[in-house]
Amino acid sequence: MERLRFRTLEEILYELMTGLLFYPLTLWRVLLEPAQISDAAGERAADRVSAPLFLLISILAAHGLDLAMGSALGEAAGTFGPAPLLFRALTFSLLPLVLAAGVLRREGRPVNHATLRTPFDLQCFYAAPLAISISVAAVLARAGTPPVRLAGLLLGLGAAAWHLCVQTRWIRARLGVGRFRALRTALWLTGVALFFCLLSTPLIFGLGG
């Protein structure tokens, strides 16, 4: 059994600070070159943030944008509790896990630490831009003016369409299936992840309240 490697405080701080430095470049590559990220998944690039850290920074950035934009739009202070952060973290962490495990099952491969790591890392890269975009879109959709609400709706739809297209292309290449079947698989696995997130909503927001 592989032993867990406990990092020192200095190593953790170094990972966080370099992650912030390389975050914009990683985000740019994921958005514009998702296929290259897919080919390099599981590898540690010298100028790229590790996948879990990339997703973590994105979730925290999305929450920070939610707070800042919500305050600017005059939202009540009660909306700024821990529940939105918990729900956001669960949603955008469970989505990569379900998609990665679901594709492994369809390949007929066992789901374990060895097989799950590479597809999970890739899904973390794909989920990070979605987390930021959906969070910003949700804040805009709560705004009072119709043009801003429309902008939020378009941003949310665009982010969802981008994520679905990327997933469809990846599943099609990974499973060797047609475009329609890949799209159906992507929709199904995304729906499963969102279903479990919705099941936890009463508990999370109940505790947050």
Side-chain angles (χ1 to χ4, degrees):
M1 179 182 297
E2 183 182 358
R3 291 186 177 180
L4 293 176
R5 180 171 178 261
F6 295 95
R7 296 187 173 188
T8 64
L9 179 60
E10 290 81 0
E11 289 176 314
I12 295 174
L13 290 175
Y14 179 78
E15 287 288 337
L16 290 174
M17 298 310 296
T18 55
L20 293 174
L21 175 64
F22 294 123
Y23 180 85
L25 178 60
T26 306
L27 181 61
W28 180 260
R29 288 179 175 176
V30 172
L31 288 174
L32 297 186
E33 302 173 344
Q36 293 187 15
I37 292 292
S38 177
D39 294 338
E43 301 177 2
R44 182 61 186 271
D47 57 350
R48 191 180 68 202
V49 185
S50 65
L53 181 58
F54 182 64
L55 180 58
L56 175 61
I57 295 174
S58 298
I59 291 174
L60 293 176
H63 186 64
L65 288 172
D66 192 355
L67 294 179
M69 295 177 65
S71 178
L73 293 172
E75 293 187 353
T79 62
F80 299 154
L85 176 59
L86 293 175
F87 182 75
R88 184 174 287 112
L90 175 65
T91 300
F92 294 107
S93 299
L94 190 59
L95 186 62
L97 182 63
V98 171
L99 281 161
V103 169
L104 286 175
R105 292 293 299 272
R106 283 159 174 76
E107 288 179 327
R109 301 176 62 189
V111 180
N112 53 44
H113 287 290
T115 61
L116 191 61
R117 184 56 187 264
T118 297
F120 177 75
D121 280 358
L122 176 64
Q123 292 303 322
C124 286
F125 283 125
Y126 290 162
L130 185 67
I132 296 177
S133 301
I134 293 297
S135 298
V136 173
V139 175
L140 295 178
R142 299 196 301 263
T145 59
V148 177
R149 290 183 178 179
L150 179 60
L153 177 62
L154 293 177
L155 176 61
L157 291 175
W162 175 87
H163 189 261
L164 187 59
C165 289
V166 170
Q167 295 296 341
T168 301
R169 180 165 41 179
W170 175 68
I171 292 173
R172 185 184 181 190
R174 181 104 184 190
L175 300 182
V177 298
R179 184 178 291 107
F180 176 76
R181 186 176 176 184
L183 175 61
R184 184 179 61 184
T185 301
L187 286 171
W188 170 254
L189 293 176
T190 301
V192 170
L194 294 179
F195 173 75
F196 284 108
C197 291
L198 290 176
L199 284 181
S200 66
T201 300
L203 177 61
I204 291 178
F205 283 88
L207 292 177

